[in-house]
Amino acid sequence: MDDILEQSQCDCWWVPGDVHVVNRPEITYMYSQREDRLYNSVLRVRAADSEHARLMEEVCHRHAHAESEWRLTESSSSAGLIQLLQAHGYDLRIRCVAYSLPVNAARPPPPDDVVIRQVQTRSDLLEMYSTMDRAFEREVRDHDNDDLAHYLRLGVGPDARSRGFIAYDKATDEPLCAAAFNSYPSLGIGFLWGGGTVPHARGRG
């Protein structure tokens, strides 16, 4: 599963046009003029230990203005690379654990007092993002108009590979929960991202 997840991260179909993707046999990474680590990330490493210092110098140059991130699976990681990252000021902040289940697995139905709607419009997309921010108890962020248009194009229509959903209180129409789903047909998987429920609505199913 680690290798499949790594391949999904290297499939950069979703990135905006100002984000550059470097894909060579020894490394895959993204860089941009944005400060967000989402767009300044190393996605895969397949280099000998003797090459790590050169790659580190290259990535540090590309990410010099931004928060930089290395996403390391077991196939990309090594003790030597970890030591080199630490020497350059990186530390382990996030450890991701993935769980998988078949699409036909049993799951409970939505509660009767909740209605789920798919994101279809710009205002829906903004509401999905703000609900996610509230669910993770962080400040609601502003979003660039070009980015909103870009991500809406990816998420609407028969060929969409990213679909967003919002769960609303049926009585008040308050958004309570939001999540999105990305599909990777060539890998035979899809995954949820950004899913969360606003604090006061948790425990309702």
Side-chain angles (χ1 to χ4, degrees):
M1 180 57 73
D2 276 359
D3 287 342
I4 292 177
L5 288 174
E6 185 180 70
Q7 289 177 58
S8 75
Q9 296 302 292
C10 293
D11 184 357
C12 298
W13 56 272
W14 57 272
V15 300
D18 62 311
V19 178
H20 305 276
V21 179
V22 175
N23 185 24
R24 304 196 304 265
E26 71 274 22
I27 192 169
T28 303
Y29 69 91
M30 296 186 291
Y31 71 93
S32 74
Q33 291 301 309
R34 304 175 186 227
E35 296 182 358
D36 194 329
R37 60 185 168 85
L38 178 65
Y39 305 107
N40 295 281
S41 301
V42 176
L43 309 174
R44 178 189 60 85
V45 180
R46 291 295 188 278
D49 286 350
S50 60
E51 291 293 298
H52 287 163
R54 176 182 63 82
L55 295 177
M56 181 67 66
E57 181 179 0
E58 177 182 343
V59 171
C60 285
H61 172 70
R62 295 293 194 186
H63 293 175
H65 64 287
E67 185 180 13
S68 177
E69 178 177 81
W70 292 60
R71 304 177 192 171
L72 301 178
T73 64
E74 289 186 4
S75 298
S76 286
S77 184
S78 69
L81 181 55
I82 295 296
Q83 291 177 357
L84 189 62
L85 285 164
Q86 291 172 337
H88 282 76
Y90 290 91
D91 58 6
L92 179 61
R93 295 187 186 178
I94 302 172
R95 186 182 300 275
C96 297
V97 178
Y99 296 90
S100 63
L101 73 163
V103 293
N104 60 352
R107 54 194 178 275
D112 292 337
D113 58 350
V114 168
V115 60
I116 298 172
R117 301 177 192 142
Q118 186 174 339
V119 170
Q120 298 284 357
T121 67
R122 182 181 184 277
S123 60
D124 291 342
L125 187 59
L126 281 168
E127 190 149 75
M128 184 186 80
Y129 287 150
S130 66
T131 305
M132 289 176 175
D133 286 337
R134 291 168 54 221
F136 286 97
E137 300 182 59
R138 62 195 179 203
E139 184 177 351
V140 174
R141 297 165 293 176
D142 294 325
H143 294 274
D144 179 81
N145 285 329
D146 289 341
D147 279 358
L148 290 171
H150 170 74
Y151 287 118
L152 193 61
R153 284 193 297 271
L154 298 181
V156 175
D159 298 322
R161 288 183 59 180
S162 182
R163 300 184 183 274
F165 299 89
I166 307 170
Y168 294 86
D169 185 298
K170 192 175 289 186
T172 66
D173 212 37
E174 178 192 0
L176 304 176
C177 179
F181 171 86
N182 286 5
S183 61
Y184 295 83
S186 64
L187 300 175
I189 66 166
F191 63 77
L192 294 172
W193 59 270
T197 302
V198 298
H200 73 84
R202 293 169 188 165
R204 292 173 58 177

